[in-house]
């Protein structure tokens, strides 16, 4: 709990909130399910005094006006799938859940954009767009996340190597500010050079600068032909070293993932499925796009030769939807297979030609700290998820070793020109590392932005800064 | 001149500036060429007390520390090719010219990024990258602009329809803040979710939040095959209406331009060249990319059928580099052919399916206001350049009619869900329109950002806000 003198949610406030959202859309503390006290990274935990489930922008605006007048903290929660404690209401107050704001408001085919409410679930949205012949390109691993959560963490995901991150697909948003004003930023337009871009500042701000209540995203044509290549390697270094070679050759897959056998095995065990050629020490997995079958053949041929020249043991082609799904399901289950409660994670990003060095360093840190790591990465963009597994370590030892290992990993990341977070954000649990590895002048400017947007400090307190 | 009590550049300050950049890289007011008092839009004019030409980040930092201590305005100028008076030193003080910071510092092929100084000229950089097999995708029409200027206005250009704007290609930057601190934002990394993204806030801030001293941009593989299609139409409406149809069919050209005969004729007259099929009332011009000649044939065939079905009179294919160059040279000369001193411009952007409506409205405004417009547009992204020509109008009448016309155009833009500026920025000359068509709460947040980054108000005063 924070020492800052926020006001508590009085009975009068509860009645006012009930007036806004209706009594059926408000849950007071004593009836609040445990899950609302944390996100997927359960150790970061805090209890709200009340949870509200608004359905409209107007309701969100009235909630914020009330919270602002009374100086009550407001933490926004989408699907609660974050990994940094960003949605944990650590300062108490109001938990604002976007789950009822789950409508796809418009699919504008002429402008190739869609307008959605923040609580729309990613998978639901992706599938709805595919049915209409469109690709929504951002593809974070956690498909049950909300689009609002994706925008507020600038989620990345597997297709970032070709299509960029969530930021690159947001065209406009409606935001409720700390005092309950409603702002429209951007729109359906493809270009904008009209003053400071507050929309891009909001993206990735994790609910600390405003609450997004509507999002306009761009849509792309669906690729005509998709094929997945699974490329086993005897040496992990060869796999990672191949990534820049492919890029320089003009081969930009839709997704380009790296993993080792240990991670794969825990995933296939978890799913109870076989994996083709499952005994190699390391793999690259590439999802390729082409505009015709002939073009795909040419692309596979070129890619295959480059892989084999670079030390690959084989190049396996999965060209039916079923085979491709089996491979990507295994990839998708990596994190889940590790279990949730007894891991912590570094979501570092480095220039992609430094990934091999980062991996080797992580191996050494694990050994020297007496820890088990399970790491995999979006090789195409240098983003690695280094998962630290607790195993049987007792209290105290676990925290000590974990913290020592993390500090070394973040130091190495900085030395390699990387960043503390590639795509999971800072939230609550990575604040100390952001502070330690960011220029104090930059932190001070972030602080001034926060003060300018939220002078009473009520928006998602104790997050990021 | 501004009423704010800035200090003037004293003899002691001049000597200190000489110490920093060397006497040969400082030009005092009495020897300052006239061109340094304005950008391409000459009516916005102001004289600096001194111009300095630093060569390094360290020099820029020392200049800013001095300016901050003495509260002297600093206006940054790249190549001076802006159209909104952004580089005009309207508050006097120091003009900081980036022309000597013109080095390509690094081309990192493994990570497919380049690091450049801000004064590198766009064309020089594009050509240098092409020689190494890379595409720098942003392609604003003004090739003699600097990369620094492009970043600070978030310049768009013709390839935005496929590749996005300058923002989408910046990976990192070094910035000198108002008080002379040096910040590194982003880097060579492809993803970043590490706190508020100050880099994206800097992009498009027109030198009012900091001075960019180094830029890391991403590079793409060069497309294998390029072909240009010139598509004449009997009716301008048909041309514009075809744009969303192409998008929905999955055809995303590298560039997709719209123009009418009057603009084309003034350009070909200016260049003294013929244009094929130059007598149609309206045109679309498409630059297509494909990964093989066979793929290009297929793409041209599909595109051609869609165009002919949509009312095109013909589809002319320019497949040699020379023929393509002739077409794009004519397009590139549109603005220059109009002459500089006697025009003003609206750089509006609307959702692309509203372009036809915007065009028709602009025609009506021209007629009703007794003005001649010369308009053309990046049809693929809804960005229109509506140029208002003075002709023989006397003083007073010109300003009155122009202002009335602009006000109506910006009102219509807002009504269509568009923005005041698509790619040229706000600078000095469009401030009133930004103010009139932006939510006061949004403007207040911009103002707080400005105050946070530049509390003494010395960075490019009187611009944007």
């Amino acid at each position: 709990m924070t020492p800052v003198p926020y006001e508590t949610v009085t009975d009068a406030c509860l009645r006012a909130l009930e007036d806004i959202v209706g009594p059926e859309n408000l849950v007071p503390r004593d009836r609040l399910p445990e899950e609302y006290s944390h996100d997927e990274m359960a150790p970061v935990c805090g209890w709200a005094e009340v949870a509200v489930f608004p359905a409209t922008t107007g309701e969100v605006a009235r909630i914020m006006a009330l919270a602002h007048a009374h100086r009550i903290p407001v933490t926004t929660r989408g699907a609660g799938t974050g990994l940094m404690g960003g949605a944990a209401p650590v300062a108490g107050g109001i938990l604002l859940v976007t789950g009822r704001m789950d409508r796809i408001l418009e699919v504008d085919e002429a402008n190739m954009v869609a307008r959605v409410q923040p609580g729309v679930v990613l998978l639901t949205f992706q599938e709805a767009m595919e049915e209409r012949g469109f690709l929504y390109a951002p593809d974070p691993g956690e498909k049950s996340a909300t689009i609002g959560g994706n925008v507020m963490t600038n989620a990345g995901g597997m297709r970032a190597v070709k299509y960029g991150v969530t930021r690159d697909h947001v065209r406009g948003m409606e935001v409720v500010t700390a005092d309950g004003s409603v702002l429209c930023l951007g729109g359906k337009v493809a270009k904008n050079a009209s003053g400071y871009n507050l929309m891009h500042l909001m993206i990735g701000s994790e609910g600390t600068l405003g609450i997004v209540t509507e999002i306009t995203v761009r849509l792309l044509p669906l690729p005509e032909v998709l094929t997945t290549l699974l490329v086993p390697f005897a040496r992990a270094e060869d796999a990672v070293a191949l990534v820049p070679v492919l890029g320089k050759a003009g081969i930009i897959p839709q997704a380009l993932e790296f993993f080792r056998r240990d991670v794969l095995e825990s995933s296939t065990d978890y799913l109870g499925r076989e994996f083709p050629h499952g005994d190699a020490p390391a793999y690259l997995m590439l999802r390729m796009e082409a505009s015709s079958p002939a073009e795909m053949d040419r692309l596979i041929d070129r890619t295959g030769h480059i892989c084999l020249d670079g030390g690959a043991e084989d190049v396996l082609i999965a060209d039916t939807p079923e085979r491709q799904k089996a491979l990507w399901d295994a990839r998708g289950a990596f994190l889940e297979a590790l279990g949730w409660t007894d891991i912590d994670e570094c979501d570092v990003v480095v220039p992609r030609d430094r990934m091999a060095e980062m991996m080797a360093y992580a191996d050494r840190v694990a050994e020297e700290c007496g820890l088990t790591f399970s790491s995999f990465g979006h090789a195409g963009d240098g983003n690695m998820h280094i998962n630290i597994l607790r195993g049987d370590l007792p209290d105290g030892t676990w925290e000590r070793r974990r913290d020592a290992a993390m500090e070394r990993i973040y130091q190495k990341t900085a030395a390699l020109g990387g960043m503390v977070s590639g795509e999971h954000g800072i939230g609550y649990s990575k604040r100390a590392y952001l502070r330690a590895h960011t220029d104090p002048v930059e932190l001070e400017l972030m602080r001034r932005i926060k003060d300018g947007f939220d002078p009473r400090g009520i928006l998602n307190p104790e997050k990021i800064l």
Side-chain angles (χ1 to χ4, degrees), chain A:
Chain A
M1 274 294 188
T2 170
V4 184
Y6 292 114
E7 283 186 29
T8 53
V9 179
T10 60
D11 285 346
C13 278
L14 279 179
R15 279 193 301 274
L17 288 168
E18 269 188 5
D19 270 355
I20 296 169
V21 296
E24 68 283 15
N25 297 310
L26 176 148
V27 181
R29 163 82 191 250
D30 55 0
R31 289 194 283 117
L32 205 56
E34 189 271 346
E35 62 171 295
Y36 286 108
S37 66
H38 59 81
D39 62 15
E40 293 285 10
M41 201 57 88
V44 179
C45 179
W47 286 85
E49 295 159 76
V50 59
V52 290
F53 299 76
T56 66
T57 302
E59 290 178 10
V60 174
R62 289 174 64 199
I63 293 164
M64 287 314 302
L66 182 84
H68 193 257
H70 292 278
R71 196 155 193 251
I72 297 168
V74 179
T75 301
T76 306
R77 178 187 174 96
T81 58
L83 295 172
M84 298 300 161
V90 294
I94 298 167
L95 184 70
L96 190 155
V97 186
T98 62
R100 289 179 66 226
M101 301 178 76
D102 63 350
R103 286 192 305 139
I104 298 172
L105 299 168
E106 182 189 5
V107 181
D108 177 342
E109 300 203 351
N111 292 303
M112 290 176 79
V113 295
R115 282 192 308 123
V116 302
Q117 289 188 305
V120 171
V121 168
L122 176 62
L123 184 64
T124 311
F125 182 60
Q126 285 177 331
E127 290 181 346
M129 294 308 101
E130 275 175 37
E131 270 171 35
R132 301 182 69 147
F134 290 113
L135 176 73
Y136 173 63
D139 192 32
E142 180 52 69
K143 306 292 182 254
S144 62
T146 63
I147 305 278
N150 285 177
V151 169
M152 278 293 143
T153 52
N154 190 24
M158 293 201 253
R159 291 199 283 239
V161 54
K162 182 176 177 78
Y163 289 111
V165 295
T166 300
R167 175 186 303 285
D168 301 308
H169 299 271
V170 179
R171 284 285 166 82
M173 59 168 70
E174 181 187 73
V175 178
V176 174
T177 64
D179 64 358
S181 304
V182 179
L183 282 185
C184 290
L185 305 174
K188 290 183 177 177
V189 292
K191 291 174 166 176
N192 185 8
S194 309
Y196 305 151
N197 199 307
L198 304 189
M199 184 185 88
H200 275 283
L201 187 58
M202 284 288 169
I203 297 170
S205 67
E206 303 188 38
T208 65
L209 300 180
I211 297 175
V212 63
T213 49
E214 195 180 302
I215 303 151
T216 303
V217 296
R218 71 175 173 136
L219 304 173
L220 296 172
L222 274 179
E224 316 243 336
V225 187
L226 284 178
T227 294
T228 295
L229 302 184
L230 179 71
V231 189
F233 287 84
R235 290 156 31 101
E237 311 87 274
D238 290 346
V240 175
L242 208 72
V243 174
V245 178
L246 289 168
K248 185 60 178 60
I251 296 170
I252 313 275
Q254 194 194 72
L256 174 45
E257 298 290 304
F258 165 82
F259 48 89
R260 291 193 280 201
R261 187 168 45 201
D262 59 330
V263 177
L264 177 64
E265 278 171 359
S266 86
S267 171
T268 48
D269 286 354
Y270 174 79
L271 294 173
R273 294 200 201 141
E274 289 293 303
F275 195 82
H277 207 311
D279 54 349
Y283 299 84
L284 288 181
M285 198 153 83
L286 301 86
R287 195 192 283 123
M288 318 292 293
E289 273 185 25
S291 50
S292 69
E295 200 52 29
M296 181 59 85
D297 288 345
R298 213 175 70 97
L299 182 61
I300 291 174
D301 190 55
R302 283 185 62 210
T303 309
H305 276 105
I306 293 174
C307 289
L308 293 170
D309 287 350
E313 296 192 323
D314 202 347
V315 176
L316 308 171
I317 302 170
D319 48 6
T320 66
E322 297 72 31
R323 282 188 204 154
Q324 296 194 58
K325 186 171 182 305
L327 293 179
W328 290 102
D329 280 353
R331 167 62 189 86
F334 281 179
L335 193 54
E336 231 169 306
L338 297 176
W340 291 113
T341 47
D342 291 303
I343 63 170
D344 207 334
E345 189 229 30
C346 296
D347 160 51
V348 297
V349 58
V350 295
R352 65 182 178 202
D353 68 336
R354 313 308 288 269
M355 268 194 82
E357 192 175 345
M358 190 72 216
M359 264 176 28
Y361 185 79
D363 287 347
R364 209 167 79 221
V365 169
E367 199 186 315
E368 291 174 7
C369 292
L371 286 164
T372 305
F373 287 2
S374 176
S375 307
F376 45 93
H378 304 305
D381 49 43
N383 184 199
M384 290 175 70
H385 301 316
I386 301 172
N387 296 285
I388 309 178
L389 311 186
R390 177 164 180 170
D392 300 327
L393 290 177
D395 287 352
T397 308
W398 157 241
E399 286 80 5
R400 244 188 343 268
R401 291 187 188 178
R402 178 198 62 189
D403 293 351
M406 283 206 167
E407 184 49 42
R408 289 181 62 185
I409 288 167
Y410 287 119
Q411 267 176 19
K412 184 70 175 180
T413 303
L416 294 177
M419 312 293 289
V420 173
S421 173
E423 57 181 17
H424 293 170
I426 299 302
Y428 185 87
S429 56
K430 295 298 181 283
R431 293 177 307 162
Y433 301 107
L434 180 72
R435 203 156 50 227
H437 299 286
T438 306
D439 189 309
V441 175
E442 185 176 350
L443 288 173
E444 171 59 24
L445 291 174
M446 288 188 195
R447 165 61 57 196
R448 289 183 194 169
I449 289 170
K450 170 70 176 171
D451 290 345
F453 278 67
D454 181 20
R456 310 199 78 183
I458 57 174
L459 282 168
N460 210 2
E462 304 194 45
K463 305 298 165 63
I464 299 183
L465 295 170

